[in-house]
């Protein structure tokens, strides 16, 4: 859902289909590997420290929400370029929650590869739909997509904190 919200706000800009596709694939790849990393590394990290994943995720999504909210008030919203660095930052920011999912994923289902493959495909599709919907709605809602994305991420951050 976070990939969708961020892609929605990016969709108001005329971003080339090639960049949209590369970004969606990158998000999918990160959604494949982050749960695996969370599964193998995260268990011991969060088990032996006072850091809890939900607080980290709350903080990350709250910062993303605030960043998008500030863009709403700009005369001409500045979208970070989807070059190599921008695409990787985009993918990391929306895939971080998959890391925490990976911590407990082996308690839900035995076939972790099937689960992370599903994450990969669904997150890439959500990203594509977010870009597409942002582009379609840009004529009617324009920069209000930043407000919509900000509210979505804020609600998501609160949900992370309370669950």
């Amino acid at each position: 859902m976070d990939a969708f919200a961020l892609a929605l706000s990016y969709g108001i800009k005329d971003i080339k289909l090639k960049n949209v596709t590369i970004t969606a694939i990158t998000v999918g790849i990160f959604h494949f590997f982050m749960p695996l990393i969370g599964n193998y590394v995260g268990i011991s990290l969060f088990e032996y420290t006072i850091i809890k994943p939900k607080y980290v995720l709350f903080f990350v999504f709250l910062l993303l929400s605030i960043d998008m909210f500030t863009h709403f008030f700009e005369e001409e919203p500045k979208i970070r370029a989807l070059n190599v660095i921008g695409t990787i930052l985009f993918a990391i920011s929306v895939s971080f929650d998959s890391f925490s999912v990976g911590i407990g994923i082996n308690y839900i289902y035995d076939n972790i590869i099937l689960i992370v493959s599903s994450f990969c495909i669904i997150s890439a599709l959500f990203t594509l739909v977010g870009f597409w919907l942002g582009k379609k709605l840009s004529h009617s809602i324009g920069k209000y997509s930043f407000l919509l994305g900000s509210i979505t991420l804020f609600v998501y951050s609160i949900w992370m904190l309370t669950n």
Side-chain angles (χ1 to χ4, degrees):
M1 190 50 95
D2 48 340
F4 173 80
L6 195 56
L8 181 71
S9 65
Y10 269 71
I12 68 167
K13 290 291 188 184
D14 191 25
I15 298 174
K16 294 179 184 175
L17 181 60
K18 176 184 172 186
N19 289 353
V20 168
T21 306
I22 290 171
T23 302
I25 290 170
T26 306
V27 166
I29 290 169
F30 271 81
H31 272 79
F32 181 85
F33 287 108
M34 291 298 266
L36 290 176
I37 294 169
N39 189 42
Y40 295 116
V41 176
I43 293 172
S44 60
L45 175 69
F46 291 123
E47 189 174 307
Y48 298 114
T49 64
I50 62 169
I51 300 171
K52 300 295 179 209
K54 71 178 188 177
Y55 298 122
V56 173
L57 293 173
F58 164 75
F59 185 69
V60 167
F61 290 125
L62 184 64
L63 286 178
L64 281 171
S65 172
I66 292 168
D67 183 50
M68 289 177 71
F69 187 70
T70 58
H71 287 311
F72 172 70
F73 293 104
E74 294 175 353
E75 193 65 36
E76 181 64 29
K78 295 176 186 140
I79 300 279
R80 289 173 185 86
L82 288 179
N83 52 22
V84 174
I85 300 290
T87 299
I88 290 173
L89 289 175
F90 184 104
I92 288 172
S93 67
V94 299
S95 302
F96 194 70
D97 59 333
S98 297
F99 179 81
S100 67
V101 168
I103 292 172
I105 208 164
N106 55 345
Y107 297 110
I108 299 170
Y109 197 71
D110 291 339
N111 191 346
I112 192 168
I113 298 300
L114 178 65
I115 293 174
V116 295
S117 297
S118 300
F119 268 31
C120 171
I121 293 166
I122 291 169
S123 63
L125 289 175
F126 265 58
T127 304
L128 284 173
V129 169
F131 275 112
W132 176 79
L133 193 58
K135 186 172 186 161
K136 292 293 180 190
L137 295 177
S138 68
H139 301 294
S140 58
I141 66 172
K143 71 177 191 172
Y144 284 100
S145 65
F146 282 98
L147 186 60
L148 180 62
S150 175
I151 291 169
T152 304
L153 287 174
F154 179 75
V155 169
Y156 194 62
S157 70
I158 297 299
W159 180 76
M160 280 288 169
L161 186 63
T162 58
N163 283 329

